[in-house]
Amino acid sequence: MLSWFKAQARTKFTPLLLVIHLNMMNREATTMAAVSSMGENRLYAIKSIPTKGYGMVAVASIPKGTRILSEAPLFTFQNGPDIRQVERVIVEQIRLLSKEQQRAFFALHNAHPGRHSPFLGIARTNVLPLGPNSRGRGLFLEASRINHACRNNAQNTWNENIKEITIHAVRDIEESEEITIVYSRAFEAYAERQRFLQDKFSFTCECELCSLPLAKREESDLRLRELKSLDEFIGQLQWGKFNPQLVLQLVYNMIRLFEAEDIWDIRLARPYNDAFEAAIENGDETRAKVFGERAYAVRKTVEGDDSASTIKMKGFAEQPAKSPLYRESTESSQDRGPPQSESEEFDDWLWMKHDLPKSEDTPDNDDLDQETQWDSRVGEWREEADYELDAWSSIFQSSMARETKEEDEKSFDSLSTTAIHDAVLGSLTAQHRLGEALVTSYESE
């Protein structure tokens, strides 16, 4: 094998045309981490899983929020548009590994035999992104063994502060339970998830969510589609120009859907962060503090208290006005102080339910519960924007399709499709004029 590497190094694999981020200093640490993980105190074991190959299994009960694993990459590189150049980088990095590390690499699963060389196939199957918006990729011998589940019990996150991938329990994990993360896109329904997983990883998912009876699975699909719709809709809003109550109701609806879908991973941090931004842009420090604390709690649970995003959110939770989005309010958005925390009244205050507006189409009926009134009103708000939203969505979907096609044709990716989606959405949102079209409608109420 080494003679083959030497021959290739003298020919086409010597030029490294991409910017390579080698992690040579961490290779010895990686080996030691792998050895230490065999100790008595580890929380998991790598075991053979029927129909899945190898996987990670809990050897003891693991409470929610526990850091299960922290691992330095075997090597890292920058993904790029030319897949051949990416392969050259991977081969060169493998050549520099020790024999033991090379054997460990080639022991990993290859979901693309015959489609790519073993080097590229194994890397494409196993690399993890080094951050949500990064083109950096890392190969991790232990973390790469973690299998997928659409209803996962763990979260993988690149921790830039410690330069390691971390795995945290997002729910309580029982002894002998398999530890799983999500490979697929956020909020995709059953059919879309299966297509993605088959295309990228060559397997059909049979997890708890995918194995639901048809009626239950269709209910789940409806909730996931609504989550995706809400996520995109909220992304279009320009916070400072909108009634914050609208934003909070959309976020509140998202969180109810998260609970119904039993989603507790990093995706839950985003709606709380959206609520924080909506409040702080309107000068509402009191509510912003509560939402900041909730966003921080999610981050701490799924990323740990040493991640950059957790530390940043903690600072905003403690001092909301330090956020660059903070604006002094010209109106009193905090005219009613918060009731006792965690009470029903507190929940009504937090989500501004006491200020629920009425319209001519909303029944003036004291017997109509507030939740129903609220759902009715937010439905009216969204109907008013439908003609603009439909037009924008067509533009967005077309642009997204082009981006996805180009990405699939030019390069390979692993678990970062959500990051691409967010980047494209953010770019389009910045240029979109939906906010201008809607603001008149909301301000007139």
Side-chain angles (χ1 to χ4, degrees), residues 94 250 361:
I94 296 170
L250 295 175
D361 298 325

Side-chain angles (χ1 to χ4, degrees), residues 16-29:
L16 300 182
L17 302 180
L18 298 178
V19 177
I20 304 174
H21 291 272
L22 292 175
N23 208 357
M24 297 297 293
M25 297 299 293
N26 285 330
R27 286 191 178 135
E28 185 66 26

Side-chain angles (χ1 to χ4, degrees), residues 237-283:
L237 299 179
Q238 299 174 357
W239 299 123
K241 297 181 180 180
F242 282 88
N243 184 334
Q245 185 183 16
L246 168 62
V247 178
L248 294 187
Q249 176 56 25
L250 295 175
V251 171
Y252 179 71
N253 285 351
M254 280 196 75
I255 291 172
R256 287 194 300 175
L257 289 167
F258 272 109
E259 292 172 353
E261 275 300 291
D262 202 21
I263 296 173
W264 305 103
D265 58 20
I266 191 62
R267 290 171 286 182
L268 185 58
R270 179 161 169 166
Y272 281 126
N273 185 73
D274 288 340
F276 168 82
E277 292 182 355
I280 204 62
E281 282 209 355
N282 284 275

Side-chain angles (χ1 to χ4, degrees), residues 77-203:
F77 61 91
Q78 290 289 311
N79 194 14
D82 189 332
I83 200 167
R84 293 183 179 179
Q85 292 184 6
V86 171
E87 183 173 27
R88 292 174 185 174
V89 173
I90 293 168
V91 170
E92 178 66 14
Q93 298 227 42
I94 296 170
R95 185 184 68 82
L96 297 172
L97 298 176
S98 68
K99 291 182 179 180
E100 180 183 356
Q101 290 171 328
Q102 289 174 6
R103 282 194 293 269
F105 173 84
F106 286 109
L108 294 174
H109 179 60
N110 179 6
H112 309 280
R115 186 176 176 183
H116 300 301
S117 71
F119 314 100
L120 184 57
I122 292 173
R124 182 175 181 180
T125 305
N126 293 282
V127 295
L128 294 168
L130 305 183
N133 299 308
S134 172
R135 298 196 71 84
R137 302 290 181 267
L139 194 289
F140 305 87
L141 293 178
E142 298 276 294
S144 294
R145 294 294 189 182
I146 305 176
N147 289 317
H148 162 86
C150 300
R151 190 168 281 170
N152 54 310
N153 58 21
Q155 174 71 52
N156 59 294
T157 308
W158 173 251
N159 188 317
E160 183 63 26
N161 285 345
I162 62 175
K163 307 295 183 185
E164 293 184 351
I165 200 81
T166 61
I167 308 295
H168 287 82
V170 301
R171 65 181 83 240
D172 292 340
I173 301 174
E174 299 299 323
E175 183 178 352
S176 300
E177 182 180 351
E178 185 179 6
I179 297 167
T180 57
I181 59 176
V182 171
Y183 294 2
S184 55
R185 299 180 177 101
F187 311 135
E188 292 289 356
Y190 172 79
E192 288 78 14
R193 295 196 307 270
Q194 294 292 356
R195 279 196 295 269
F196 176 84
L197 293 170
Q198 190 61 235
D199 177 59
K200 296 291 185 181
F201 301 97
S202 303
F203 73 87

Side-chain angles (χ1 to χ4, degrees), residues 303-361:
E303 295 185 344
D305 56 11
D306 57 355
S307 83
S309 55
T310 301
I311 294 169
K312 180 180 179 180
M313 200 67 242
K314 181 181 181 182
F316 289 158
E318 293 173 347
Q319 296 182 294
K322 294 292 185 181
S323 168
L325 299 175
Y326 174 69
R327 298 180 185 176
E328 271 192 57
S329 178
T330 56
E331 301 178 5
S332 178
S333 59
Q334 307 178 70
D335 55 344
R336 187 178 300 184
Q340 184 177 354
S341 179
E342 305 307 323
S343 67
E344 185 176 347
E345 292 78 12
F346 179 83
D347 190 65
D348 290 347
W349 166 83
L350 180 64
W351 300 103
M352 301 181 75
K353 293 182 181 181
H354 62 274
D355 290 330
L356 179 68
K358 293 183 179 180
S359 73
E360 296 177 358
D361 298 325

